[in-house]
Amino acid sequence: MCSAVLTPADRGPVIVPAMFNEQWQDGLGARGWKLDVPGAGADVIAATPYAGERIPTSVFVHDLVDHHLCGFRLSGYLDEAGALIQLAQRTGSDPMPDFRQIVEEDLLTGAVEGPDWKDLLPASLAAEIAPATGAEAAIRELRRRLGDGLLRALFTAGFVREGWRRRDAARAAWTAHGLDYAARPRIALALQALFEWMDSRVQDCGWAQARGDFCIRNDAVAFVFTEPAAVRHTVAVEGAGDAPDGRART
């Protein structure tokens, strides 16, 4: 049981299942991990443990910490707006490059996923779009009327507005798990260290597929492999419990 892995606390750990495939049948043949939660469909790309240049945690940890534990789905523009604001708050990173990338690659091209793209626009402008108009045609008309520069600015401002609007809901979702909202940066770093161990484990063992559960608490995080073998590993959260240096415990 996960509760036996971690130090005692008033509440049990938050359990989040995850799965690994050496090659996902997603049209890309991607290798890596996905959360095994609602909304983690084919459009959610499998992730590896590598962190970016600006951010000390991986995309997978972003999905777990800033999306799932904060109550946001793994897809959808409004959910991504909320999650990227959470990411910016816990890491001090600038969310604008990510917002701009989504605007350039999805929104300005008309290759949108889901209807919530309209909610990024000012309400008066969104109201002018006929309900029966497809996204590609609607965005093409907006580009003609407004120009790419203004439309780009409106979409980007919408991401910031909608992401900030969801800040309190994210905090409420996080604390409803019994987790300390102020500890998010430290919990995320512990999860990053744990994730690196998980990926090393599947490589060392030569596993083509694997499943298991994250067990998350304020003092420590653990992963318990359930397939193809039962293996567990724990990483202390820095500054919590009896391992303030954040060292791992197996």
Side-chain angles (χ1 to χ4, degrees), residues 117-126 129 142 151 154-155 158 161:
W117 67 272
K118 293 181 184 179
D119 296 319
L120 297 170
L121 296 170
S124 58
L125 183 59
I129 302 171
L142 288 172
L151 185 57
L154 290 173
F155 274 135
R161 180 190 68 244

Side-chain angles (χ1 to χ4, degrees), residues 20 31 33 198-207 210 225:
F20 168 81
R31 173 203 178 278
W33 295 82
M198 291 158 52
D199 199 64
S200 294
R201 184 74 184 188
V202 297
Q203 291 186 66
D204 292 345
C205 294
W207 294 340
F225 278 102

Side-chain angles (χ1 to χ4, degrees), residues 20 22 31 33 49 193-212 223-234 250:
F20 168 81
E22 186 65 35
R31 173 203 178 278
W33 295 82
L194 181 63
F195 186 33
E196 291 172 10
W197 173 84
M198 291 158 52
D199 199 64
S200 294
R201 184 74 184 188
V202 297
Q203 291 186 66
D204 292 345
C205 294
W207 294 340
Q209 294 179 317
R211 287 180 178 272
F223 191 79
V224 181
F225 278 102
T226 55
E227 297 177 15
V231 184
R232 71 188 190 191
H233 187 68
T234 303
T250 301

Side-chain angles (χ1 to χ4, degrees), residues 96 100 103-104 108 120-122 147-161:
M96 296 305 287
R100 293 191 187 103
V103 171
E104 293 294 332
L108 287 183
L120 297 170
L121 296 170
D148 286 1
L150 178 54
L151 185 57
R152 181 182 293 111
L154 290 173
F155 274 135
T156 305
F159 270 115
V160 176
R161 180 190 68 244

